[in-house]
Amino acid sequence: MEPKDDSPDSHSGTQVDPLGDPFLRTRFALPTRPVTFLRRARLLEHLDREPVTPLLMVNGTAGAGKTLLVADWAAQLRQPVAWLTLDPAIGGPGMFWAHVLQALRASGVPVSPDTGTVVDGAGSGRSPLGRLAAQLGGTEQTVTLVLDDYDHAAAEVSEQLAFVLHHAGPGLRLVLVTRTEPLLPLHRYRAAGEITEVRDAELAFTAEETAALLDLHGVQVTVQAADALVERTRGWAAGVRLSALAARESPDPSLYLKEFEAGHSAVADFLLSEVLNSRAPRTQDLLLRVSVLERFCADLANALVGGDDAESVLAALHRDNAFVEDLGHGWYRLHPLFREILRVHLRERCPGLEPDLHRRAARWLRRHGALPEMVAHGAAAGDWDATARALVDDLAIGELFTGLRSDDLAGLLADLDPGTGGAAPDLVRAARDLARHDLDRGLTHLRHAHEELPSGADAAAARLSCALLEALAARLSGSPRRAEQAARAAREVRPDVPAHLLDRHPELSAQLLTHLGSTRLWAGHFEAARAALTAVLAGPDGASTVLPRVESLGRLALIEYLDGWPGRAERYARAALSESARFSLHGPVGPDLARLVLAGVAVDRGEIGRAQELLDPTPDTTAQDPVAAVGRSIVTARLLLARGRSRAAAETAGAPVPAVVTSPWAEGRATLVAAEAHLAEGRPDAAAQVLREVADDDPECAVGAARAHIAAGDPAAALRVLDGAAAHRRLGPAVRVRAALARAHAAQVEGDRSAARHLLADALQDARRDRLRRPFAEALPWVEPLLAAPPLRHLAAGWLLPDAEAPPARRAEPAPVLVERLSGRERDVLARLAELMSAEEIAADLYVSVNTVKTHVKSVYRKLAVNRRHDAVRRARELGLL
């Protein structure tokens, strides 16, 4: 039997000769690599990196492949290699140094015979260690000392080892293979660049290495199967090797690797033996219980175990590389395969305990505001009533619509037990159905919730949640009356809701205002809609309110587009996309509506290809939101008109949208598209007829009617219609330009060419800033001769017509190259530079300081390799950035 650290040999001067025992000789031998060993060049290159460091550390979990990696690397070294595999019996200083000296001698390193008799325990002082260091430093070749399983070494050994390493200089290179962080002053080595480290992240097998290792075991699988195994094992070497051995015996290796039962396998046996069963019973109990959690902190673990010492236990498990990963800020998670195995054994060792653990976790997570995790554990426990009441009482129902983890929540609630009754479960069911745009089922559950809602302050959170869902239902159904009633109900109940709940859930108010604003927009109440949507932007700015802000920006963009202000519409739309990108949000309505508006602006600018690019990735939202559905129909129809497909445009614009009330602007724009289709097909009387009923209410429809009257040979009627439209409250450039062109056309028809030229000049001036090319394309061919006149040609040069004064482009001129990619904010600034906005205007528009704008402008100039605004805009257009 080998002596322990406290045996007489561990503190005596007696020289130990382990080589006298053949079994013990394996401590000093490089481990043999198996036939199926995979040499990993990337790790060998890492160990051989230049400059050579005096200390190498390979630190990883049990079975991570540390020992075989270092053995493979050491076998290729040309200098002497002394190998020592430690165990608890030789962890103390006396036995440790005796074995180190024997390992050095076994490798052929000359060590004086008397050195081993004086290097004893902690009381020996450093002079004997100094003599050892001097002998190593005096060798002709560098000696590599590998200490495998160094985590068995006693604490005082590390200090002595650091002393020897320092004083031996280039004569010694130390390699530590360990599961835990050694007690050497690693921070000093790192600061001095004198340590090379390989850890679990580097030791993990890649998909390519996994496929190669499986091949060595005679298992040929697809790349997808190798990827799946890496995902399941996190590239853990032992897991991959043991899975390969088992798969070799399976008739379908790929299927086995995908579906093997981790709880009863060679992998499970290894982990249970190496990690679980070697721990104290209380530690085993903690590991089994936290296996129900995706992630956990000490306090949560204590709640499941019923103790107060989880913090020290978890820290020790992490230090020991016991498959407990530190996520930072006091949070941990188990290796996924280890967790899978532990859950199987939890069910076998403690049947019936798992639901109770989920309930405990749900209660803890509710207290700490972790809604998705709380719902997940409540669902896993089958405790639907408590889960629903928690969602409603905590005013958390709005989190189903935040766009961040709302899909996860909706998925968790998909199996909500239909037998669970009460107001809270029905509200949750209504929220779940409305979140997936199932209006009929959502309204049914909402009606049941109304019937079951109690009165009084105790139900204030439930009634406010109910108002939110009523507003959403109103938005999806296009019901302005229902939306206003919901808003009124929310205002009445809000004072009864605890202030801390309102502060914790700003998304609820933001969502309610967004639904109200969207419904007002559908009803054509633009100013009232603008007020509600702008209030959302003035509210809290955070992750929970990002979707309402993005949706509000998209709707404000649509309002400006419908009012004929393309520049303003573009700024709102770009702000929506920027906000969406800031939080990596990919919602179904918010950013997509912004893209639709940008596509509409692109059509007005004659950028047909750009408009199609914006429309292609935007999904059809017809079944989700009337505003977005009609917005898509109208923009698509305008694009079809620009491509000359008038019949398809009329059909697209006239597609029905289910809604409680008809939207006046939706009806007007569909009618306008139908009229423009008639004009394109040579039926001006039909165009004038379909616009007669809507021309008085919509300035753009009035302009369309005027064009129809002119085409029918009645310029006087056209001017009467235009005079009525001129009194409208907010004529934007897109409308003013078309109106000026219609007046110019009427003047030309009446023979007043001078008035026609002046009116055309006004249209060019108005269109220039927003680059509105489409209205002039619609005015061909009558406008083309007028544009040939020098004054008008000068106004159109460079944006509508080619710049006559510009020198001809060289054939061999290289395409412009972007020096460095522009950030989202820099692109926002660039877009406003192209609109001739001042730094002050840009700052106000983006809600930033003037100095911030100037900094962005300088960065834009540098990245575009220009020095002036004009050159920056030109270069950006050449690069397709504008």
Side-chain angles (χ1 to χ4, degrees):
M1 179 176 178
E2 297 170 12
K4 300 297 182 182
D5 287 354
D6 57 354
S7 66
D9 283 343
S10 68
H11 296 290
S12 71
T14 303
Q15 182 174 346
V16 178
D17 183 14
L19 294 182
D21 186 339
F23 174 75
L24 298 181
R25 291 174 189 171
T26 57
R27 291 175 172 172
F28 308 103
L30 267 68
T32 303
R33 274 82 67 211
V35 176
T36 54
F37 174 74
L38 177 70
R39 174 167 289 166
R40 296 196 277 171
R42 64 179 177 89
L43 295 179
L44 296 177
E45 291 173 3
H46 185 64
L47 291 172
D48 283 329
R49 74 178 181 88
E50 296 290 343
V52 174
T53 60
L55 177 61
L56 282 77
M57 183 175 69
V58 181
N59 186 337
T61 55
K66 308 180 293 297
T67 298
L68 290 180
L69 167 67
V70 175
D72 187 43
W73 170 77
Q76 302 175 60
L77 296 178
R78 295 182 179 179
Q79 62 265 34
V81 176
W83 186 284
L84 173 60
T85 300
L86 299 176
D87 59 40
I90 58 174
M95 290 294 289
F96 172 82
W97 286 110
H99 280 75
V100 167
L101 293 175
Q102 196 62 55
L104 291 168
R105 294 189 185 104
S107 66
V109 177
V111 180
S112 298
D114 63 339
T115 305
T117 63
V118 296
V119 178
D120 55 6
S124 63
R126 287 188 172 174
S127 56
L129 299 178
R131 286 196 293 273
L132 174 61
Q135 290 181 39
L136 292 172
T139 56
E140 294 181 0
Q141 289 182 300
T142 298
V143 177
T144 299
L145 173 61
V146 179
L147 299 177
D148 191 17
D149 286 341
Y150 185 74
D151 37 287
H152 291 307
E156 54 265 44
V157 165
S158 292
E159 182 181 358
Q160 297 170 356
L161 194 59
F163 174 85
V164 173
L165 179 62
H166 175 70
H167 288 87
L172 176 63
R173 193 175 191 199
L174 179 63
V175 182
L176 303 181
V177 183
T178 178
R179 295 187 190 182
T180 62
E181 193 89 344
L183 295 176
L184 278 72
L186 298 179
H187 62 284
R188 297 179 187 171
Y189 293 106
R190 289 174 182 139
E194 294 179 345
I195 183 172
T196 299
E197 299 182 73
V198 177
R199 292 182 173 270
D200 268 324
E202 292 84 15
L203 290 168
F205 272 66
T206 65
E208 293 77 12
E209 291 168 345
T210 299
L213 182 64
L214 290 169
D215 187 59
L216 286 173
H217 285 77
V219 178
Q220 285 78 40
V221 298
T222 64
V223 175
Q224 291 81 358
D227 278 336
L229 184 58
V230 169
E231 179 69 22
R232 195 170 182 190
T233 63
R234 294 260 180 90
W236 176 48
V240 173
R241 287 194 178 96
L242 292 169
S243 299
L245 289 169
R248 190 167 57 185
E249 307 301 321
S250 172
D252 189 342
S254 294
L255 182 63
Y256 173 84
L257 292 174
K258 182 180 180 182
E259 299 181 353
F260 72 87
E261 292 185 25
H264 299 92
S265 64
V267 179
D269 293 341
F270 181 93
L271 281 173
L272 293 173
S273 172
E274 290 288 327
V275 182
L276 184 66
N277 295 337
S278 62
R279 305 285 164 183
R282 184 161 182 79
T283 301
Q284 292 187 39
D285 185 53
L286 182 144
L287 286 170
L288 289 168
R289 287 170 180 256
V290 298
S291 68
V292 304
L293 302 166
E294 291 283 348
R295 61 189 185 105
F296 47 88
C297 63
D299 193 35
L300 177 52
N302 282 329
L304 267 60
V305 176
D308 58 3
D309 60 345
E311 184 172 2
S312 60
V313 174
L314 292 173
L317 287 168
H318 173 63
R319 282 196 308 271
D320 293 347
N321 274 328
F323 293 88
V324 176
E325 304 172 16
D326 188 348
L327 301 176
H329 306 289
W331 285 85
Y332 300 86
R333 70 180 174 192
L334 297 173
H335 184 288
L337 193 57
F338 188 35
R339 177 174 179 248
E340 192 177 342
I341 293 166
L342 289 174
R343 290 192 70 177
V344 171
H345 285 267
L346 170 68
R347 291 164 189 155
E348 292 179 353
R349 296 188 188 186
C350 308
L353 179 60
E354 191 171 0
D356 181 60
L357 293 175
H358 283 298
R359 274 189 289 271
R360 294 189 196 184
R363 287 195 294 269
W364 187 95
L365 291 163
R366 179 186 178 184
R367 290 196 305 271
H368 291 81
L371 177 71
E373 292 88 350
M374 182 275 289
V375 173
H377 287 285
D383 197 351
W384 291 112
D385 182 62
T387 301
R389 281 189 284 106
L391 282 168
V392 173
D393 293 347
D394 291 354
L395 204 64
I397 205 117
E399 291 194 32
L400 277 165
F401 311 97
T402 59
L404 299 174
R405 295 188 63 182
S406 49
D407 289 343
D408 296 340
L409 282 169
L412 290 169
L413 295 170
D415 298 325
L416 179 58
D417 185 1
T420 306
D426 273 321
L427 278 175
V428 172
R429 291 188 187 96
R432 177 198 63 192
D433 294 335
L434 292 174
R436 57 195 184 194
H437 309 287
D438 188 341
L439 187 58
D440 291 339
R441 289 171 62 90
L443 287 173
T444 299
H445 290 307
L446 196 54
R447 184 174 64 255
H448 291 161
H450 266 301
E451 295 168 355
E452 297 161 337
L453 268 177
S455 59
D458 291 343
R463 286 187 284 134
L464 185 56
S465 300
C466 200
L468 169 68
L469 299 179
E470 286 285 0
L472 174 57
R475 167 181 158 178
L476 296 177
S477 61
S479 174
R481 180 179 178 183
R482 187 176 206 140
E484 298 296 342
Q485 288 175 341
R488 187 163 53 252
R491 286 194 297 271
E492 292 173 355
V493 75
R494 190 181 177 93
D496 296 330
V497 178
H500 72 275
L501 288 181
L502 294 172
D503 292 340
R504 191 191 306 165
H505 294 288
E507 72 279 352
L508 193 141
S509 295
Q511 290 165 2
L512 201 150
L513 284 168
T514 303
H515 302 334
L516 179 63
S518 185
T519 313
R520 287 173 174 175
L521 167 57
W522 174 253
H525 306 148
F526 286 1
E527 291 306 319
R530 187 179 281 107
L533 298 170
T534 304
V536 176
L537 304 183
D541 177 4
S544 65
T545 60
V546 59
L547 183 56
R549 290 200 310 276
V550 169
E551 290 184 330
S552 294
L553 286 165
R555 279 153 180 72
L556 288 167
L558 181 61
I559 291 173
E560 299 296 348
Y561 173 73
L562 294 172
D563 271 346
W565 296 87
R568 297 177 185 176
E570 183 181 40
R571 288 196 290 276
Y572 275 124
R574 290 197 180 281
L577 295 179
S578 178
E579 186 79 350
S580 177
R582 185 160 70 102
F583 289 91
S584 300
L585 183 70
H586 304 287
V589 177
D592 289 336
L593 183 57
R595 291 189 191 95
L596 288 173
V597 171
L598 289 176
V601 172
V603 171
D604 282 345
R605 290 173 176 167
E607 299 166 354
I608 305 305
R610 171 66 174 156
Q612 191 66 59
E613 289 176 3
L614 288 162
L615 275 175
D616 284 343
T618 307
D620 187 352
T621 55
T622 300
Q624 299 177 2
D625 186 284
V627 169
V630 171
R632 180 181 178 85
S633 297
I634 297 303
V635 171
T636 303
R638 298 295 294 269
L639 179 59
L640 290 169
L641 284 173
R643 293 187 183 278
R645 299 176 58 191
S646 55
R647 188 68 57 85
E651 292 174 356
T652 300
V657 175
V660 172
V661 301
T662 301
S663 171
W665 61 266
E667 186 178 47
R669 296 311 161 100
T671 303
L672 179 58
V673 170
E676 290 181 344
H678 284 309
L679 277 177
E681 295 173 356
R683 296 190 297 274
D685 290 334
Q689 178 64 31
V690 298
L691 286 170
R692 182 168 289 118
E693 294 182 3
V694 295
D696 293 340
D697 299 322
D698 190 323
E700 193 160 0
C701 290
V703 174
R707 291 179 58 215
H709 286 308
I710 295 169
D714 191 354
L719 292 174
R720 286 196 300 272
V721 173
L722 290 171
D723 288 341
H728 198 269
R729 52 183 172 74
R730 281 170 52 90
L731 284 182
V735 182
R736 294 198 305 266
V737 168
R738 285 184 168 87
L741 285 171
R743 289 183 183 277
H745 193 188
Q748 188 188 45
V749 169
E750 291 180 335
D752 191 346
R753 294 182 61 84
S754 175
R757 284 194 295 271
H758 280 92
L759 288 165
L760 182 55
D762 291 341
L764 288 168
Q765 292 275 22
D766 219 359
R768 186 173 185 174
R769 177 168 177 167
D770 288 308
R771 305 189 306 282
L772 297 174
R773 305 180 186 92
R774 180 63 193 161
F776 297 92
E778 294 169 349
L780 292 176
W782 69 265
V783 77
E784 197 167 22
L786 295 178
L787 289 175
L792 296 177
R793 188 171 67 246
H794 176 73
L795 287 173
W799 67 276
L800 183 61
L801 299 176
D803 191 345
E805 299 178 1
R810 300 175 186 173
R811 282 188 181 180
E813 183 177 357
V817 177
L818 184 61
V819 175
E820 184 181 340
R821 186 181 181 87
L822 299 183
S823 68
R825 183 60 80 187
E826 287 167 351
R827 292 184 69 137
D828 292 340
V829 170
L830 178 60
R832 287 155 179 77
L833 290 176
E835 295 173 7
L836 305 180
M837 295 175 69
S838 67
E840 291 75 12
E841 290 174 324
I842 296 175
D845 202 43
L846 294 178
Y847 303 101
V848 297
S849 69
V850 174
N851 286 336
T852 299
V853 171
K854 290 179 178 178
T855 300
H856 286 313
V857 170
K858 289 179 182 178
S859 181
V860 168
Y861 287 177
R862 176 181 61 79
K863 292 180 179 181
L864 295 177
V866 298
N867 296 311
R868 297 182 302 172
R869 176 195 291 247
H870 173 77
D871 293 335
V873 173
R874 177 181 56 79
R875 177 63 58 84
R877 286 179 179 150
E878 291 171 349
L879 291 166
L881 300 176
L882 290 174

